[in-house]
Amino acid sequence: MPLLRAEEVSVSFGGRRALDTVTLDAEAGRVTGLIGPNGAGKSTLFDVVCGLRRPGTGRVLLDGRDVTREGPARRARRGLARTFQHLELFGRLTVRDNLLVAAELGSGRRHAARTADRVLERLALTDLADAPADGLPTGAARLVEVARALVLEPKVLLLDEPAAGQDGEETGRFAGLLRSLAAEGTAVLLVEHDMSLVMTVCDTVHVLDLGTVVASGPPARIRHDATVLAAYLGEE
Ligand code: ADP
Ligand code: MG
């Protein structure tokens, strides 16, 4: 049983299907990629997985347990963390305080500071710890969102376009981070438009188009898949 399974998930917005019986797994120790053109339903699937949106049909299983009826906080306590495509930092707090808010929910007040500092160190954000979050360049702000998710020490980590706005060097380091998280056993589910990042770090890639998974497989195969190319035609 995979650590995370979205099973036959459907979501409609006012009669329009955003997701149509989507089944997708994320395994411990692996980076699973989810790609597809804008509007494909990637962020909606994340909302369903983390409990921000109830699916019309289908289930979400975390470690084999049906969590479909649980709220986001409950799922977070079970080891699910995410970042948002549209940055959701607390702009008026410092970088460290953004992490502390989450860390106190996760490891409790006593260990929060230590956990936050350890994650800041790991993501090379220590020098920015006292900077207000709303003044950060996008690349750094994205990394702080990832850091805030990591202080929860998640078993499953959902990343929604984390590399958007990062420069090449930042993305290179970020790729290393994702691989090391997977090596520690985390199930990483990565939504990303940066194809070279996706192809470098993912063990498996799923392609979503118009709310349906149209292709799945190792990056080397997905890169040349005709369905994938068709899904992206007119996009770039
Ligand atoms: P992606 O993240 O792959 O770009 P989204 O999940 O954001 O795609 O959107 C999938 C589809 O659902 C799009 O057609 C989008 O317009 C629609 N959609 C997303 N959120 C809402 C919403 N809150 N209300 C209505 N339609 C929405
Ligand atoms: Mg999106």
Side-chain angles (χ1 to χ4, degrees), residues 30-36 42 159-164 166 171-172 174-175 178-179 188-207 217-223 228 232:
R30 302 193 142 241
V31 182
T32 303
L34 178 60
I35 64 172
K42 306 180 296 295
L159 301 169
D160 200 346
E161 304 196 22
Q166 288 186 354
T171 305
F174 189 64
L178 295 185
R179 286 315 318 172
V188 180
L189 185 56
L190 173 69
V191 164
E192 185 49 59
H193 283 300
D194 181 334
M195 278 312 118
S196 86
L197 176 61
V198 169
M199 296 302 164
T200 311
V201 301
C202 291
D203 299 290
T204 308
V205 178
H206 302 282
V207 185
R221 177 139 55 79
I222 290 299
R223 190 200 294 270
V228 175
Y232 275 104

Side-chain angles (χ1 to χ4, degrees), residues 50-157:
C50 80
L52 287 174
R53 185 169 297 285
R54 228 359 111 72
T57 69
R59 308 193 294 168
V60 177
L61 304 173
L62 202 53
D63 219 351
R65 175 197 293 265
D66 187 341
V67 298
T68 319
R69 306 206 148 267
E70 293 182 0
R74 190 89 187 259
R75 295 187 204 189
R77 282 196 295 274
R78 293 195 191 284
L80 186 74
R82 80 172 285 186
T83 67
F84 290 87
Q85 179 178 355
H86 307 286
L87 287 164
E88 302 272 0
L89 290 174
F90 305 112
R92 304 172 79 166
L93 299 185
T94 64
V95 167
R96 179 182 280 110
D97 284 345
N98 266 275
L99 269 60
L100 282 175
V101 168
E104 288 182 6
L105 294 174
S107 53
R109 200 169 286 257
R110 220 154 57 81
H111 298 291
R114 213 180 325 144
T115 307
D117 284 341
R118 185 163 36 80
V119 172
L120 286 171
E121 184 86 11
R122 180 172 192 181
L123 273 62
L125 289 168
T126 307
D127 289 350
L128 292 174
D130 298 316
D134 62 7
L136 298 174
T138 312
R142 294 233 177 250
L143 214 49
V144 174
E145 270 225 356
V146 174
R148 192 178 54 182
L150 286 181
V151 296
L152 292 170
E153 301 178 320
K155 289 189 260 181
V156 179
L157 177 62

Side-chain angles (χ1 to χ4, degrees), residues 13 16-18 36-45 53 85 160-161 191 193 208:
F13 293 112
R16 267 198 76 236
R17 279 234 150 158
N38 287 325
K42 306 180 296 295
S43 296
T44 301
L45 184 64
R53 185 169 297 285
Q85 179 178 355
D160 200 346
E161 304 196 22
V191 164
H193 283 300
L208 198 62

